[in-house]
Amino acid sequence: MTIRDIAQRLGIAVSTVSKGLNGAPDVSAETRQLVLDTAVEMGYAAKRARRQAQPKVCVLVENMEYANIGQFGYEIVAGFRLAAAARGWAVDVLPTTPEAQARTKYGSLLLEGGYGGAFILGLTPQDAYMRALAGTGTPTVLLDNCVPNASVGYVGTDSWEGVELGVRHLAGLGHRKIAFLNGTRDSMVSEERRLAFLHATWLCGLSADERMMAYGYGQNCAREYVPHFLAQGATAILCASDGIARGVLAELRRLGLRVPGDVSVMGYDDLPLAAGCEPPLTTIRQDRLALGKSAFSLLDSLMNGVAVSKVLLRPQLIVRESTGPAPVRK
């Protein structure tokens, strides 16, 4: 497939197609978009990217902070860049929004930038780019998301093992009523962790109470759910992120309760903030630097025709002072 084929499909000059693909200023935005979209549809993007002397890929980010080391996405992006640099790959980090996705199709964005593949962080199932991935032929890696397409792979940390580590730790301390404050509802990883929590409580001989399970986002959700959990008799609260757990600690202080004397609290991720909480937070560690490096390796495999479905890293239990023996209730 050549630019001549694109020109024939559109009924325009080969020179116009060439200018559209290369961003020449004397081609209108409408014509340029039409050329890009048609080229992607005809499979031109992958062919063009393979001809580059230096592989060039992008990291697309939405709904995730990554600017400094205290934020979840920072080490993931850093790990990807480090692994790419060792192989001589060029990497562009591109923030995206629903508005930007409505303006430029996924395949057209990659073709315009000359990207042979992409690593995508933070998209939701409702995003236009997520819907586009079902039919893309461009190698793409997702964090904590899965699309049934041989060109798309998934990297993450094993949620089933991570949640089980947390539940077993709390059950081993004598807690029989464990609440679970999950992440956002419309998320594949949140659903995995919900099912993992139900399974882990069963493995530990505990009864899962739906009244002690809720979806939240950020530390402010704690004020809404913590009093409810306590009313149901919870002696421990397992949180889907360290940020949520920090909010739970603040809410328990506001209510005059001791951690871990009255209630134990666990986080998830092991962000730098976890060790600085008061008390320091017990949590499930995700190796975010390794996640980024693994995403690069997976993308490299996809770009070389190896259809890898997913790569899952193992989580690690980090025990600090926010968990302790279950209180004796009279």
Side-chain angles (χ1 to χ4, degrees):
M1 197 276 298
T2 66
I3 60 173
R4 186 176 299 279
D5 299 317
I6 300 171
Q8 289 176 350
R9 168 77 70 87
L10 295 175
I12 60 178
V14 171
S15 60
T16 303
V17 173
S18 179
K19 289 178 179 180
L21 290 172
N22 292 288
D26 56 341
V27 174
S28 70
E30 292 78 10
T31 299
R32 183 161 175 259
Q33 190 66 57
L34 180 62
V35 168
L36 288 168
D37 292 346
T38 304
V40 170
E41 181 185 337
M42 296 178 70
Y44 183 78
K47 294 173 184 289
R48 184 187 188 201
R50 281 198 293 268
R51 289 200 300 267
Q52 296 182 88
Q54 179 186 36
K56 183 180 178 184
V57 295
C58 66
V59 180
L60 285 169
V61 187
E62 184 189 9
N63 302 315
M64 185 180 293
E65 296 177 323
Y66 63 94
N68 64 66
I69 198 168
Q71 296 171 333
F72 181 79
Y74 180 87
E75 288 189 63
I76 296 176
V77 173
F80 186 88
R81 279 179 149 163
L82 284 170
R87 289 283 303 279
W89 289 31
V91 178
D92 290 342
V93 180
L94 309 175
T96 186
T97 63
E99 294 75 21
Q101 294 171 41
R103 288 193 302 269
T104 306
K105 293 180 180 179
Y106 177 67
S108 299
L109 174 72
L110 269 59
L111 176 57
E112 182 179 6
Y115 302 119
F119 177 32
I120 299 181
L121 309 173
L123 293 193
T124 69
Q126 292 74 35
D127 280 303
Y129 284 2
M130 279 294 292
R131 296 193 298 271
L133 290 178
T136 188
T138 302
T140 303
V141 173
L142 291 166
L143 175 71
D144 289 337
N145 263 309
C146 186
V147 171
N149 180 339
S151 296
V152 181
Y154 150 40
V155 67
T157 301
D158 191 333
S159 293
W160 286 79
E161 184 174 348
V163 172
E164 184 178 333
L165 283 172
V167 172
R168 285 192 181 278
H169 171 68
L170 294 169
L173 291 170
H175 294 278
R176 308 301 295 173
K177 292 203 170 190
I178 303 170
F180 181 44
L181 189 44
N182 204 349
T184 53
R185 183 180 298 273
D186 295 325
S187 162
M188 186 195 80
V189 73
S190 292
E191 178 60 13
E192 281 188 346
R193 290 176 183 176
R194 184 186 74 84
L195 295 174
F197 180 76
L198 293 172
H199 183 65
T201 52
W202 175 78
L203 288 175
C204 293
L206 307 178
S207 57
D209 188 342
E210 293 283 351
R211 296 173 300 173
M212 291 201 295
M213 299 173 64
Y215 295 98
Y217 180 78
Q219 63 186 53
N220 293 331
C221 69
R223 183 163 290 200
E224 179 179 358
Y225 295 112
V226 169
H228 173 73
F229 291 156
L230 297 176
Q232 307 306 316
T235 62
I237 302 174
L238 173 61
C239 304
S241 74
D242 294 335
I244 291 175
R246 181 165 60 178
V248 169
L249 292 174
E251 177 63 10
L252 291 170
R253 281 196 299 272
R254 188 185 73 83
L255 295 172
L257 296 173
R258 299 168 300 141
V259 177
D262 297 313
V263 183
S264 287
V265 179
M266 280 192 70
Y268 206 106
D269 295 333
D270 196 27
L271 292 176
L273 67 88
C277 285
E278 182 54 46
L281 187 65
T282 295
T283 189
I284 303 299
R285 184 170 190 266
Q286 297 197 72
D287 188 336
R288 295 177 299 285
L289 200 66
L291 278 173
K293 292 178 178 179
S294 298
F296 166 79
S297 297
L298 178 49
L299 186 59
D300 186 27
S301 295
L302 292 171
M303 292 179 69
N304 283 286
V306 182
V308 181
S309 173
K310 61 183 176 181
V311 173
L312 289 181
L313 276 63
R314 305 204 80 129
Q316 180 183 2
L317 173 66
I318 305 296
V319 179
R320 297 191 180 99
E321 287 77 37
S322 68
T323 53
V328 178
R329 297 284 170 85
K330 297 180 181 180

